[in-house]
Amino acid sequence: ETGVTQSPTHLIKTRGQQVTLRCSSQSGHNTVSWYQQALGQGPQFIFQYYREEENGRGNFPPRFSGLQFPNYSSELNVNALELDDSALYLCASSFRQGVVGGEAFFGQGTRLTVV
Amino acid sequence: EDQVTQSPEALRLQEGESSSLNCSYTVSGLRGLFWYRQDPGKGPEFLFTLYSAGEEKEKERLKATLTKKESFLHITAPKPEDSATYLCAVQGYTGTASKLTFGTGTRLQVTL
């Protein structure tokens, strides 16, 4: 077990709706990253939070946003859902010391289906 | 931009038949190269981190090696329970610390 838990495990939403996915990081980890994994592809970096501030973003539009809380939990919010947003969403926590990022430990993921 | 290419896309082995998976990468300064195992519908499970060329790490039937351009994951005498997708990822010195750039993975199937 990685100590990283995500909820819910599965979710079905309608195009145009909004969704919030949740993650509880491993205790002591100060960095959380979110990834999107389409079927048959490797995970794609969405963004990262370090000490509750967004610290970097991949090639995803602003309708993807997030939060990190002091209790090691975090959220990924997606507005105006599109069919292409259907994917496995992964949360990864790690301990970053200065500019060096450590090993990332992943949760089990949330399978989002947009219909 | 960091890039990772994995080959082959899929590999079918008989139990006990050893083989190697390849991960080629380009990165602006390598902080670390990571191997993960992923079972269907699950999150990636951390296996190894390699930091510099020449480094090797082993865990049970798996051994990871690193050169300046590629990494290999050697599987010795595999068992059916080793069937999974193996993902390679790099972390570079430019851009966001802790960001991982993944390849598309190698789907390994081990049969009796």
Side-chain angles (χ1 to χ4, degrees):
Chain A
E1 294 297 324
T2 64
V4 182
T5 56
Q6 293 186 241
S7 63
T9 54
H10 295 84
L11 199 55
I12 299 175
K13 288 287 193 177
T14 302
R15 189 172 50 181
Q17 284 188 316
Q18 178 266 342
V19 68
T20 297
L21 309 182
R22 293 181 172 84
C23 172
S24 177
S25 299
Q26 191 172 121
S27 179
H29 281 183
N30 55 15
T31 302
V32 64
S33 303
W34 286 89
Y35 291 81
Q36 180 195 66
Q37 187 176 24
L39 210 57
Q41 301 297 312
Q44 297 291 313
F45 176 74
I46 302 175
F47 48 57
Q48 177 183 112
Y49 279 80
Y50 172 62
R51 293 182 175 176
E52 302 167 45
E53 291 193 5
E54 187 178 300
N55 184 238
R57 171 178 282 266
N59 295 324
F60 283 82
R63 60 188 184 85
F64 286 78
S65 63
L67 287 170
Q68 184 186 25
F69 303 103
N71 66 350
Y72 308 116
S73 67
S74 63
E75 290 180 354
L76 164 65
N77 299 289
V78 187
N79 293 322
L81 283 167
E82 301 177 358
L83 296 179
D84 284 349
D85 294 334
S86 296
L88 182 68
Y89 287 86
L90 297 163
C91 163
S93 80
S94 58
F95 179 75
R96 171 181 159 185
Q97 192 163 22
V99 296
V100 179
E103 289 92 354
F105 296 91
F106 285 82
Q108 80 281 14
T110 294
R111 171 68 64 188
L112 173 64
T113 303
V114 182
V115 298
Chain B
E1 188 176 325
D2 301 343
Q3 287 190 331
V4 176
T5 303
Q6 292 188 246
S7 62
E9 287 186 8
L11 181 62
R12 186 183 173 111
L13 300 173
Q14 286 196 321
E15 185 175 13
E17 181 186 1
S18 301
S19 188
S20 296
L21 314 183
N22 177 263
C23 170
S24 298
Y25 65 90
T26 56
V27 63
S28 299
L30 181 70
R31 277 197 184 122
L33 184 140
F34 302 82
W35 282 97
Y36 287 86
R37 169 196 169 124
Q38 186 174 29
D39 293 306
K42 302 286 182 66
E45 175 190 342
F46 172 76
L47 294 174
F48 303 110
T49 309
L50 301 168
Y51 294 103
S52 57
E55 190 174 359
E56 299 182 351
K57 288 195 176 170
E58 286 188 68
K59 179 181 177 180
E60 296 180 355
R61 295 177 293 282
L62 301 176
K63 178 180 176 180
T65 61
L66 181 66
T67 72
K68 288 186 178 179
K69 293 183 178 180
E70 57 192 350
S71 176
F72 293 93
L73 185 65
H74 307 278
I75 303 178
T76 302
K79 298 182 177 182
E81 53 261 44
D82 295 323
S83 298
T85 295
Y86 290 85
L87 294 165
C88 172
V90 295
Q91 196 176 79
Y93 273 100
T94 58
T96 306
S98 306
K99 170 191 170 183
L100 295 173
T101 300
F102 282 87
T104 54
T106 294
R107 293 189 311 279
L108 173 66
Q109 184 181 11
V110 182
T111 59
L112 293 171

